Amino acid sequence: MSADHIAPAVTTNFIRNIVEADLAAGKYTARRFSGRPGPAGVQASASPDQAKIRTRFPPEPNGYLHYGHAKSICLNFGLARDYGGACHLRFDDTNPTREEQEYVDSIIDAVHWLGFDWGENLYYASDYFDWLYEFAEALIAAGLAYVDSLSADEIREHRGNLTEKGRNSPHRERGVAENMDLFRRMKAGEFADGAHVLRLKIDMGSPNFNLRDPIAYRVRHATHHRTGDKWCIYPMYDYTHGISDALENITHSVCTLEFEDHRPLYDWLNEKLGAMNLLNLPLPHQYEFSRLNLTYVVLSKRRLIQLVDEGHTDGWDDPRMPTLVGARRRGFTPAGFRLFAERIGVSKSDSWIDMSLLEDCMREDLNEKAERRIAVLDPIKLVIDNYPVGQEETCFAPNHPLKPELGKREMPFSKELWIEREDYMEVPAKGYRRLYPGNMVRLRYGFVVKCSGADYDGEGNLLAVHCEYLPDSKSGTPGSDSYKVKGNLHWVSLLHAYPAEVRLFDRLFSSPHPGAGSDGERAYLADLNHDSKKVVIAYLEPALKAAQPEESFQFERHGYFVADRVDSQPARPVFNRTVTLRDSWGST
Ligand code: ATP
Ligand code: MG
């Protein structure tokens, strides 16, 4: 775990209960090895302690990870961490046409960034192509698989539907020798894509579609990102997944609920191969939990790709994207995600989680960690008429109100300051406590000032606010707290301020359930929030010039901001707003 790990009180859930029961029953102490070599890392780490649990996170490298994946990562790696087991990172890379190295690299980065490590247990399903092929031959030899030569349309048509059972393919009763010959010739490249498939011989009459002789292999003349042109037949996801789990001695194969109907196939396949002594025992078991549904975003790779490809956002790492690379650029933190995963828990019931819960977790983590700084986002000049021209002095501001040990920093003070435009009102609204003619406020960490009026241009636009300061009111000097004023404003010295680009991000969609209530694949796009990104030139206190990329701060009164990791230059950071100080999307 990385050093910044917040250890939230671990709440139990049904999967933890299962793991605890399995460990208490000694389920993994009597592992029986088939005597066959497994993947090297598993062999190496399996022997000294065979009793431990093994989980895995199995992404398909065909897109960037999103917030939903963070739930699955925290769950799987969290189980391994809490029960002294191992969690494997396995790329389910069986589809040669959709997968790319760029995605593999970004997934590796994202899991590490979240604070998890798989040690030696990094695997690729494509590393198992030889085993998967050999097992397919074993299934053919046992009469449990056959080569079908129907077209894709015919196979679909034979599969039946919810009310109608499927029908057997005319090729279902091919003999073992013919099946073996055809399958080897599929592998040898004798057939075009789609000419034949290998199917598991289960039950065309099963009420479960997944058991109606599912396809195990198809011909696909395509170059794979890792195995190159070695193969022209590729195994299907369902065929690959359970076998990969078993080869890696996975104990608890935890996935989302849409795979529940696939579990009978998962078990059928592993039980058959286990009975042939091709797999180690006990076999892995699959458990399903409900996926994360989060308001104000979309969490489906297909839609995320669309948002990027059609230019609705500025790429995968746009801070508004619900991807983990986007979250990182936005200033969301790994500890915030881990806290969120604990808070939302794990169950089998489908529900929506409100985005404000995720934002609150980020606030909670950042409130603890982020140093405070001053930034004026919408500047107007404040002139202190009785302050000597050319004079400067230093004020001191604490870096963190909860952590005095972090010390104070210097803030230069001078005759002209930047303050927020909204901190002045010519005619104050009821209850307004900031600057208006005749009112006194404290310039935070500085002096008490009394407002004397403002300058306007010919069109009535505010140009500057004027005030007089009380020289004996400087914060931290004796007697300074005898001034009781209600307003407390932030400011930066005009001479010393650092003008910087600051991006104010808001939620990407303006509706909690994008696209809900309208038909069509693209309906969710109509709910895009067109004010989700605003760029301003703000005036920042000089200390912020030294901010390092990815360093987070609380800009007092404004929220949490991070120095952008892509666009910041040395000594010229630009900032992204991570989240405001309070939820501004609530019902009030
Ligand atoms: P998507 O549905 O967004 O296209 P996916 O399920 O196809 O994602 P995979 O790469 O197959 O993406 O997912 C890897 C793992 O992450 C799987 O075990 C999957 O169950 C899990 N996962 C995906 N989306 C979510 C989610 N929203 N909440 C929790 N786990 C998820
Ligand atoms: Mg998937």
Side-chain angles (χ1 to χ4, degrees):
M1 296 299 309
S2 62
D4 67 347
H5 176 54
I6 287 190
V10 170
T11 41
T12 195
N13 60 52
F14 79 99
I15 295 179
R16 285 176 184 275
N17 294 342
I18 290 166
V19 168
E20 284 172 19
D22 287 347
L23 287 172
K27 194 163 170 186
Y28 310 106
T29 48
R31 267 209 172 277
R32 211 194 77 213
F33 290 98
S34 63
R36 304 168 44 78
V42 172
Q43 285 302 302
S45 58
S47 9
D49 177 12
Q50 297 157 8
K52 68 185 182 187
I53 65 155
R54 281 177 188 277
T55 55
R56 85 287 169 273
F57 175 66
E60 198 183 330
N62 62 353
Y64 284 75
L65 297 184
H66 54 62
Y67 296 175
H69 292 116
K71 174 178 180 179
S72 179
I73 292 167
C74 291
L75 173 60
N76 281 296
F77 281 91
L79 286 169
R81 172 195 67 206
D82 295 339
Y83 295 99
C87 182
H88 300 188
L89 176 61
R90 182 201 314 138
F91 290 101
D92 243 313
D93 58 349
T94 51
N95 190 340
T97 53
R98 291 202 323 206
E99 291 149 5
E100 288 174 29
Q101 190 60 37
E102 175 193 350
Y103 297 129
V104 169
D105 296 341
S106 84
I107 290 169
I108 285 183
D109 269 3
V111 180
H112 268 153
W113 176 73
L114 278 176
F116 297 105
D117 192 30
W118 46 87
E120 63 213 329
N121 295 300
L122 173 64
Y123 303 108
Y124 295 83
S126 57
D127 288 344
Y128 309 145
F129 282 170
D130 286 322
W131 273 293
L132 292 162
Y133 177 81
E134 186 194 324
F135 292 175
E137 285 206 352
L139 290 164
I140 293 172
L144 295 170
Y146 62 96
V147 172
D148 198 354
S149 312
L150 294 182
S151 69
D153 283 343
E154 288 166 327
I155 289 177
R156 201 170 308 122
E157 193 259 319
H158 276 70
R159 192 164 280 149
N161 54 40
L162 283 177
T163 53
E164 235 176 83
K165 290 182 173 184
R167 285 176 293 128
N168 287 350
S169 160
H171 309 292
R172 198 175 196 261
E173 299 310 327
R174 269 178 176 148
V176 169
E178 187 185 355
N179 280 323
M180 198 68 89
D181 174 61
L182 283 170
F183 187 52
R184 287 180 179 163
R185 287 164 58 199
M186 279 166 67
K187 178 186 181 229
E190 286 188 29
F191 304 116
D193 288 8
H196 304 285
V197 291
L198 183 73
R199 299 179 73 174
L200 303 179
K201 199 171 185 177
I202 308 182
D203 180 7
M204 291 304 291
S206 172
N208 184 338
F209 272 85
N210 296 300
L211 295 180
R212 292 183 187 176
D213 291 8
I215 295 173
Y217 267 93
R218 72 259 198 245
V219 179
R220 181 149 310 174
H221 292 271
T223 304
H224 186 278
H225 77 118
R226 297 192 82 238
T227 58
D229 292 322
K230 176 173 174 190
W231 297 90
C232 63
I233 55 172
Y234 289 94
M236 300 298 285
Y237 172 84
D238 274 328
Y239 178 75
T240 310
H241 191 80
I243 294 178
S244 304
D245 281 351
L247 286 171
E248 293 176 17
N249 295 342
I250 297 301
T251 57
H252 300 81
S253 178
V254 181
C255 61
T256 37
L257 274 173
E258 68 268 25
F259 293 103
E260 196 167 20
D261 289 347
H262 298 233
R263 180 164 16 101
L265 170 54
Y266 181 102
D267 289 340
W268 182 92
L269 191 55
N270 280 349
E271 278 161 19
K272 297 292 184 218
L273 294 168
M276 290 184 228
N277 204 27
L278 293 171
L279 299 174
N280 300 331
L281 301 179
L283 295 170
H285 198 291
Q286 177 181 305
Y287 301 94
E288 307 87 15
F289 68 99
S290 57
R291 62 197 292 115
L292 172 66
N293 297 311
L294 194 63
T295 58
Y296 296 100
V297 288
V298 290
L299 293 181
S300 120
K301 275 185 207 158
R302 203 161 25 88
R303 290 185 170 174
L304 297 180
I305 287 173
Q306 197 166 43
L307 287 172
V308 172
D309 283 354
E310 296 182 5
H312 301 293
T313 64
D314 305 328
W316 287 102
D317 67 349
D318 184 313
R320 294 167 296 173
M321 285 286 279
T323 52
L324 295 182
V325 278
R328 180 172 181 177
R329 245 188 114 178
R330 186 173 184 136
F332 282 9
T333 65
F337 274 110
R338 296 193 299 261
L339 187 61
F340 176 68
E342 280 298 333
R343 294 244 166 102
I344 60 177
V346 179
S347 79
K348 277 178 113 62
S349 56
D350 244 322
S351 65
W352 283 83
I353 302 291
D354 201 280
M355 177 59 99
S356 58
L357 186 64
L358 178 62
E359 291 168 346
D360 276 342
C361 290
M362 298 305 163
R363 286 187 188 102
E364 206 169 311
D365 185 40
L366 288 165
N367 180 42
E368 170 75 19
K369 288 181 191 143
E371 291 200 357
R372 275 42 173 179
R373 294 288 184 270
I374 304 293
V376 175
L377 301 184
D378 185 13
I380 189 80
K381 199 191 283 186
L382 177 70
V383 184
I384 305 169
D385 293 320
N386 62 338
Y387 196 85
V389 177
Q391 182 169 313
E392 282 181 34
E393 64 190 285
T394 303
C395 298
F396 293 90
N399 286 322
H400 200 298
L402 308 171
K403 299 182 177 178
E405 69 276 14
L406 291 179
K408 295 186 170 188
R409 63 191 190 282
E410 297 185 354
M411 288 204 357
F413 186 90
S414 61
K415 185 177 176 72
E416 294 188 319
L417 309 177
W418 292 117
I419 60 167
E420 298 290 345
R421 185 176 296 270
E422 62 165 32
D423 285 346
Y424 176 77
M425 277 181 107
E426 182 81 24
V427 181
K430 194 165 175 286
Y432 189 79
R433 294 169 169 174
R434 294 173 249 171
L435 289 168
Y436 55 88
N439 194 40
M440 291 213 292
V441 301
R442 177 170 289 284
L443 296 174
R444 204 156 200 207
Y445 315 123
F447 294 90
V448 172
V449 295
K450 181 173 184 180
C451 182
S452 51
D455 301 334
Y456 293 87
D457 68 10
E459 284 156 13
N461 297 309
L462 183 62
L463 292 179
V465 179
H466 289 267
C467 67
E468 305 218 323
Y469 85 121
L470 292 92
D472 61 348
S473 66
K474 189 173 182 182
S475 293
T477 58
S480 65
D481 43 1
S482 63
Y483 292 95
K484 298 294 177 217
V485 294
K486 297 242 168 69
N488 198 341
L489 307 187
H490 66 273
W491 51 272
V492 293
S493 161
L494 195 126
L495 269 181
H496 305 89
Y498 162 53
E501 178 175 320
V502 174
R503 294 89 172 247
L504 305 174
F505 295 112
D506 204 338
R507 292 178 182 174
L508 185 55
F509 290 92
S510 50
S511 151
H513 306 285
S518 329
D519 285 338
E521 205 14 61
R522 299 175 57 81
Y524 76 100
L525 292 170
D527 288 327
L528 277 166
N529 173 8
H530 294 290
D531 293 321
S532 59
K533 179 179 180 182
K534 214 173 110 189
V535 180
V536 299
I537 298 297
Y539 286 107
L540 313 184
E541 66 164 280
L544 279 167
K545 231 179 160 167
Q548 296 302 304
E550 295 204 77
E551 207 176 345
S552 285
F553 300 94
Q554 185 194 96
F555 290 179
E556 292 191 22
R557 293 174 68 203
H558 287 304
Y560 296 97
F561 291 72
V562 68
D564 188 82
R565 64 194 284 252
V566 177
D567 298 328
S568 292
Q569 304 288 326
R572 281 203 302 123
V574 304
F575 290 87
N576 298 329
R577 180 168 71 197
T578 307
V579 65
T580 52
L581 284 183
R582 267 173 296 279
D583 184 9
S584 51
W585 281 77
S587 48
T588 52

